[in-house]
Amino acid sequence: MNFNFEYKGFDLQLQFAGAFGHKLFNGPRSSYNLFADNSSYRANYDLWTPENPNAKDPRPIYDDTRNVIGYQDRWLENGNYLRLKQAALGYNLPKSLLKNVFHNIRIYVNGQNLLTFTSYTGLDPEFLNSNIWMRGYDGGAFPNPKGVTFGAQISF
């Protein structure tokens, strides 16, 4: 989805991308939250007890492999996201400042991957997985980098 705006020499370009209606398997979380040795609890651990039967996480059982099984559906998460892939803000200098030396001068700032709206708890819901059999599996790939560039376009 692209948006372009222009007003009094300023221009703003926004490009959004997203994906909706799918689940992702959070591989790193399935590895970090095994609870087999009674030592790897995260801060928001919602453990099952008889008083808390609707908990998100199972009851930890020390030295037991029932919580260590990696491929459980509790690691499936909503994969929906909306990302601002690119935002560019520019300004065209007025012709009165350019004299007859330049045809146009535009200064700009450009940002990539600045905002992501998602409930996914992994590093990035837009991870790259080239294996066709592992498309929805997040193996902890490095997230898409954020970047900001400044520049000028000069026409003679």
Side-chain angles (χ1 to χ4, degrees):
M1 184 172 17
N2 296 321
F3 296 100
N4 295 313
F5 305 98
E6 291 184 23
Y7 181 73
K8 292 189 177 182
F10 286 95
D11 59 88
L12 176 65
Q13 302 164 1
L14 302 173
Q15 178 187 19
F16 291 91
F20 305 95
H22 65 286
K23 298 277 188 188
L24 298 175
F25 185 88
N26 193 334
R29 191 165 170 229
S30 73
S31 299
Y32 303 146
N33 295 336
L34 295 178
F35 313 118
D37 62 357
N38 214 23
S39 67
S40 59
Y41 303 129
R42 63 185 185 279
N44 61 347
Y45 184 60
D46 182 23
L47 68 127
W48 181 93
T49 63
E51 295 79 29
N52 188 16
N54 296 322
K56 293 180 184 173
D57 297 302
R59 173 178 61 114
I61 305 170
Y62 179 71
D63 201 25
D64 192 313
T65 59
R66 286 180 280 182
N67 288 342
V68 183
I69 300 169
Y71 296 108
Q72 299 179 21
D73 63 356
R74 68 185 173 125
W75 309 122
L76 286 176
E77 297 184 26
N78 182 343
N80 298 347
Y81 72 93
L82 178 66
R83 173 170 285 158
L84 178 58
K85 293 290 282 182
Q86 181 185 16
L89 176 63
Y91 179 68
N92 292 303
L93 295 177
K95 300 287 185 191
S96 60
L97 291 177
L98 303 179
K99 309 277 188 212
N100 289 328
V101 178
F102 301 104
H103 180 264
N104 188 34
I105 296 179
R106 178 179 178 267
I107 55 175
Y108 65 89
V109 60
N110 187 14
Q112 295 87 26
N113 300 317
L114 297 178
L115 293 171
T116 303
F117 303 98
T118 185
S119 62
Y120 181 62
T121 61
L123 293 176
D124 191 349
E126 191 183 16
F127 56 84
L128 177 62
N129 194 337
S130 59
N131 184 337
I132 194 166
W133 305 112
M134 305 286 277
R135 289 290 175 169
Y137 180 85
D138 181 3
F142 193 80
N144 286 305
K146 296 180 180 185
V148 177
T149 55
F150 299 90
Q153 295 172 326
I154 301 172
S155 301
F156 293 96

